[in-house]
Amino acid sequence: MLTYLNNGTLTLEVHLRSRKKAESSGYVPSNSFNNNMLKGFNNEEMSDVTFEVGGEVESAANRRKRGKTITTRFHAFHAILRLNAPSLSDMCRPGDEAAVPINGVEPEVFKMLLYFCYGGKVSEDELEANAKAIIEAADRFGIVNLKLQAEAVLTKQTEVTVDNMLDNLLYANSKNLALFQEKIMDFVAENGDKILGKVSFDDVPGNLMSDLLTAVTRGKKSTCTSAPGDDLTLMRVGELRKRLHDKGLCIDGSRETMIALLKGNLAGDETVAE
């Protein structure tokens, strides 16, 4: 053994052989469902309902007179609308020969809504440029996810001030824009001294007081985690919506509606467990 030592050190030379399996060079395409769906977008041959959009728009703010515009025709498949725009699908029947008139919506906005129903994406630039118009139409036709996407963009791009706070609050409440409303309530809670005496809350619905108290209470807490078991009344809108989505429940609605749904679902789970 001593004959193998080099200055008292035994040196070993190890040879390793890799048996790594060769990776396949074959190309496997992804699911083509989305691309195939988009091929049917506004395709007359693959549709069974028609909409005639435009023709009447408000001539000016706060006026009852309406102006005439050129109408645009859109084609859709009723089954797709039933799944993605239920309120819009209720306005027509498969195979109707007459086009369904859609007033109060710009053709370009309606095109975005229909494209979204077929699995398409509305770009950030389009959402920013048409946030309120998209919210209005998506809310009207039951396209919840697109409405919430536009709401998120509106919330991000709007700078809440003392001067515009009340108008934004009333608008958010009228459309059940809980995320946008939460931002406004946070502003009120943080800037009460600047708002007091300058803004009248006479026209504010009484149900909004709960959201305001939530914002004030949340602001007084140094931390507000969102772990299971937390008080739902202090939970952020984003977390409430996530929990509702995970449970397969509707994520569109006011804070009170979302909290009631979660509490009802929790009570149901406890009943089943018993």
Side-chain angles (χ1 to χ4, degrees):
M1 182 68 177
L2 294 177
T3 59
Y4 294 101
L5 297 178
N6 182 12
N7 294 326
T9 302
L10 177 63
T11 302
L12 300 177
E13 186 175 331
V14 180
H15 296 272
L16 300 176
R17 178 178 294 177
S18 174
R19 293 184 176 275
K20 183 179 179 180
K21 185 178 180 181
E23 295 183 1
S24 173
S25 59
Y27 171 71
V28 179
S30 60
N31 192 322
S32 60
F33 177 79
N34 282 347
N35 290 333
N36 290 336
M37 284 288 291
L38 287 173
K39 291 177 182 178
F41 167 66
N42 206 21
N43 187 319
E44 185 174 1
E45 294 182 356
M46 302 173 66
S47 304
D48 55 7
V49 293
T50 304
F51 299 97
E52 196 167 73
V53 183
E56 255 186 28
V57 294
E58 295 287 351
S59 58
N62 300 321
R63 293 186 183 178
R64 294 184 178 180
K65 293 182 179 179
R66 294 177 180 270
K68 296 291 183 180
T69 63
I70 298 175
T71 60
T72 304
R73 285 204 164 205
F74 292 94
H75 306 279
F77 189 49
H78 189 269
I80 293 175
L81 299 181
R82 186 175 181 182
L83 292 171
N84 300 297
S87 297
L88 183 59
S89 72
D90 289 341
M91 299 173 63
C92 55
R93 293 181 180 181
D96 281 348
E97 294 184 4
V100 178
I102 302 292
N103 294 318
V105 181
E106 291 291 339
E108 193 60 31
V109 172
F110 190 85
K111 181 180 179 181
M112 295 178 200
L113 268 64
L114 200 58
Y115 186 69
F116 186 86
C117 289
Y118 274 77
K121 294 183 179 180
V122 180
S123 71
E124 192 80 4
D125 289 342
E126 290 173 322
L127 287 169
E128 289 179 356
N130 304 279
K132 284 193 174 182
I134 291 174
I135 288 171
E136 183 78 28
D139 185 57
R140 174 179 171 185
F141 300 130
I143 311 174
V144 174
N145 285 11
L146 181 57
K147 172 189 172 182
L148 299 188
Q149 284 185 21
E151 180 202 11
V153 169
L154 179 66
T155 302
K156 180 180 178 181
Q157 71 180 9
T158 301
E159 180 183 357
V160 181
T161 66
V162 174
D163 293 332
N164 68 23
M165 176 272 298
L166 187 59
D167 287 340
N168 281 323
L169 180 60
L170 294 175
Y171 170 74
N173 183 63
S174 69
K175 299 300 176 186
N176 277 329
L177 304 179
L179 183 66
F180 190 32
Q181 188 167 298
E182 181 178 72
K183 177 178 180 177
I184 300 166
M185 287 302 190
D186 286 343
F187 175 84
V188 174
E190 295 169 4
N191 298 275
D193 57 331
K194 299 177 183 178
I195 298 171
L196 193 63
K198 297 179 180 179
V199 178
S200 173
F201 286 83
D202 291 344
D203 296 329
V204 175
N207 64 293
L208 293 181
M209 288 304 299
S210 175
D211 281 6
L212 178 57
L213 290 173
T214 298
V216 172
T217 304
R218 189 191 295 119
K220 290 182 178 179
K221 289 180 173 291
S222 57
T223 58
C224 183
T225 60
S226 56
D230 274 4
D231 186 354
L232 294 174
T233 58
L234 293 180
M235 197 169 288
R236 287 284 181 183
V237 168
E239 180 63 20
L240 290 172
R241 285 177 174 172
K242 181 179 182 302
R243 293 195 178 195
L244 287 167
H245 181 268
D246 291 344
K247 293 178 178 294
L249 302 173
C250 179
I251 60 176
D252 186 26
S254 64
R255 282 184 58 86
E256 290 75 12
T257 300
M258 290 189 285
I259 291 172
L261 278 174
L262 284 171
K263 287 183 176 179
N265 181 264
L266 180 62
D269 291 344
E270 292 175 350
T271 301
V272 172
E274 292 176 358

